[in-house]
Amino acid sequence: MPTEVILPKVDMDMATGQISRWFAEEGAKVKKGDVLFEIETDKAAMEIDAPASGTLRNVTGKERVDIPVGEPVAWIYADDEVYAPISPLRGEMRAKPTEGGAVPPTSQSVAPPSGLPAISPTRGEISQSQGPARATPLARRLAREANLDLSAIAGSGPRGRVVRADVEAAAAAKDAAASAQPAAEIPAGAPSAPAPAPKPMSDDQVLKLFAEGSYELAPHDNMRKTIARRLVEAKSTIPHFYLTLDCELDALLALRTQLNAAAPMRKTDKGEAPAYKLSVNDMVIKAMAMALMAVPDANASWTDSAMVKHKHADVGVAVSIPGGLITPIIRHADEKTLSVISNEMKDLASRARSRKLKPEEYQGGTTAVSNLGMFGIKDFAAVINPPHATILAVGAGEERAVVKKGEIRIATVMSVTLSTDHRAVDGALGAELLGAFKRMIENPMGMLV
């Protein structure tokens, strides 16, 4: 039996993926472990190896097309197996998804490669009823927002898959049934249903506001779609609370200069270079990690059933990359030296920009730091990235007039804003955490012991 090559799930939140390029063509001889294709997710690009040796056939996964996780994209035939071409219809279905990632329904049976059973739409629907509802990611989201049971919706997609049109039809039927309910059936004094959340403007509504020919459309890639979805979820589901204070940086800048000057030299391909070069952001990461350990109740994540109390400070750091951003994580930052944090951060940022991070290098974490100081931003408030309960927004260090003991003097001051999940971190607790961070920044020698 030929070996099926599927689009694997390489990210916790991944529902669909795109093949950015194939390294092997139809009919090519491949060995187990050879790189077959590269997947582009919302956060990284990953190379996928061949699961078996043989001849690559029936390459149905097209480049730059959204493909559901688990869908076959090709088959590998052993040398002694008879090759059976797929139905042209199947290739067309794979290559031309409709809106929402669905595939146009068909009444014909789909002919898989030789040695595999044929699946008709009827059989697909029968097997679908025996397990979780099959649906496109868009259909699942729409059903969740409309509070609809996916298993009760008849799918019109391939093998009974529920698509966007099915959910919209079910939602319309539900609204019609609700509006047709006689007033007599509603008990007197019953509380009115909460108003539905406002819906964003549709694409057509937005485009009608601009003259034709005055714009061009740049389709969203997976990264931008995921960023938009997660930001809306974060701001809609997490009660944000903000705390801002100023930190004096003069002692930290002096220590940084002294430590960088003392860095030993090492040989590299480009000649001798210092073993490390600390940045202010490296010291901010360390200070945030130590502040979390000093205020352990703030080193937490919210779940509906319990508060997750973390034993270490894993600090995510927002890194801007083409088309979006990603948050690689410095694990156990509270236990690492400044030089280790600095070198690790440079490596993670470099691989993040080339989309070569592994999922475990950007998933999870207990807090995050977002620094826009290098762009001259004085202060801002960042959006919390679940499952974190806090994120620190760091502004630029600038000379300001400060008053000490009745005298005015010049100091280098940095404004920071802590965004907290008010379910997990209350105002007083957040203030305690930010105060601990300020002490670390203004007394940086404490980060060396």
Side-chain angles (χ1 to χ4, degrees):
M1 180 180 293
T3 301
E4 185 180 55
V5 181
I6 65 169
L7 189 87
K9 183 172 185 176
V10 297
D11 193 340
M12 182 172 56
D13 296 328
M14 181 177 173
T16 64
Q18 291 187 359
I19 296 176
S20 52
R21 60 171 171 159
W22 280 92
F23 294 97
E25 299 178 347
E26 175 82 24
K29 291 284 188 179
V30 297
K31 294 181 180 179
K32 184 176 181 179
D34 287 352
V35 177
L36 282 185
F37 57 89
E38 183 181 70
I39 288 181
E40 179 183 294
T41 70
D42 56 289
K43 297 177 180 175
M46 301 189 67
E47 294 177 345
I48 305 302
D49 297 342
S53 300
T55 303
L56 187 67
R57 296 289 190 183
N58 300 337
V59 178
T60 56
K62 306 299 181 182
E63 294 182 359
R64 301 297 175 184
V65 173
D66 283 340
I67 302 172
V69 168
E71 286 290 301
V73 296
W75 303 80
I76 296 177
Y77 285 76
D79 294 338
D80 58 348
E81 288 180 322
V82 179
Y83 167 55
I86 64 168
S87 163
L89 177 62
R90 178 174 179 173
E92 182 180 344
M93 289 167 62
R94 288 278 184 265
K96 298 181 179 179
T98 62
E99 183 179 12
V103 177
T106 174
S107 59
Q108 301 179 21
S109 295
V110 180
S114 174
L116 294 180
I119 302 176
S120 67
T122 304
R123 178 176 173 180
E125 291 166 8
I126 293 173
S127 61
Q128 173 63 30
S129 66
Q130 296 171 347
R134 290 176 58 86
T136 65
L138 177 60
R140 290 184 183 278
R141 178 172 64 81
L142 292 175
R144 184 170 62 250
E145 292 173 353
N147 196 25
L148 293 172
D149 182 3
L150 269 177
S151 63
I153 301 175
S156 61
R159 291 182 284 175
R161 185 186 295 271
V162 177
V163 298
R164 175 180 181 175
D166 302 325
V167 177
E168 290 177 342
K174 179 183 177 182
D175 292 342
S179 62
Q181 182 183 17
E185 294 183 13
I186 302 177
S192 58
K199 293 184 178 180
M201 296 174 68
S202 68
D203 291 2
D204 289 340
Q205 288 174 321
V206 172
L207 296 180
K208 284 179 180 177
L209 299 176
F210 306 99
E212 271 193 56
S214 66
Y215 58 84
E216 60 182 28
L217 298 178
H220 302 306
D221 60 12
N222 283 347
M223 173 176 288
R224 182 49 54 184
K225 290 177 183 177
T226 300
I227 289 173
R229 174 178 57 81
R230 287 182 63 85
L231 287 176
V232 170
E233 288 178 357
K235 289 294 286 185
S236 302
T237 62
I238 297 176
H240 282 60
F241 182 80
Y242 307 99
L243 300 164
T244 301
L245 54 68
D246 296 332
C247 304
E248 293 188 20
L249 292 180
D250 296 288
L252 181 143
L253 294 175
L255 178 62
R256 170 177 170 259
T257 299
Q258 186 177 355
L259 292 174
N260 283 339
M265 304 299 289
R266 63 182 181 184
K267 293 182 178 180
T268 67
D269 296 337
K270 299 180 181 180
E272 287 195 342
Y276 58 84
K277 186 176 181 180
L278 303 181
S279 68
V280 171
N281 205 51
D282 299 329
M283 303 180 85
V284 166
I285 295 168
K286 178 68 174 179
M288 187 61 178
M290 295 186 70
L292 283 172
M293 301 311 293
V295 188
D297 285 345
N299 193 24
S301 295
W302 171 269
T303 68
D304 289 337
S305 59
M307 195 76 75
V308 181
K309 297 290 188 72
H310 302 290
K311 298 179 180 179
H312 300 282
D314 299 335
V315 182
V317 183
V319 175
S320 177
I321 63 177
L325 58 85
I326 193 170
T327 310
I329 298 167
I330 303 292
R331 306 282 180 185
H332 294 206
D334 54 298
E335 299 175 353
K336 292 178 177 176
T337 63
L338 287 169
S339 60
V340 170
I341 289 174
S342 179
N343 290 331
E344 188 174 328
M345 192 63 239
K346 288 181 176 64
D347 173 61
L348 289 171
S350 174
R351 289 190 291 115
R353 294 187 179 99
S354 59
R355 296 199 175 191
K356 297 298 182 184
L357 290 179
K358 301 174 183 177
E360 58 268 24
E361 292 176 318
Y362 57 78
Q363 291 177 353
T366 67
T367 190
V369 169
S370 180
N371 190 340
L372 293 178
M374 66 285 295
F375 298 105
I377 302 301
K378 182 177 180 179
D379 61 76
F380 67 103
V383 179
I384 295 170
N385 181 30
H388 304 165
T390 56
I391 183 170
L392 186 71
V394 182
E398 58 183 9
E399 290 188 339
R400 301 182 200 170
V402 298
V403 178
K404 288 288 183 73
K405 297 181 179 179
E407 296 183 353
I408 298 176
R409 66 179 182 84
I410 302 300
T412 305
V413 179
M414 173 182 73
S415 295
V416 294
T417 298
L418 182 72
S419 304
T420 73
D421 181 345
H422 214 323
R423 300 170 301 177
V425 180
D426 294 322
L429 183 59
E432 186 181 355
L433 174 64
L434 206 52
F437 172 81
K438 178 182 173 74
R439 287 193 297 275
M440 291 292 174
I441 291 294
E442 296 186 347
N443 301 279
M445 288 296 291
M447 291 189 276
L448 304 183
V449 297

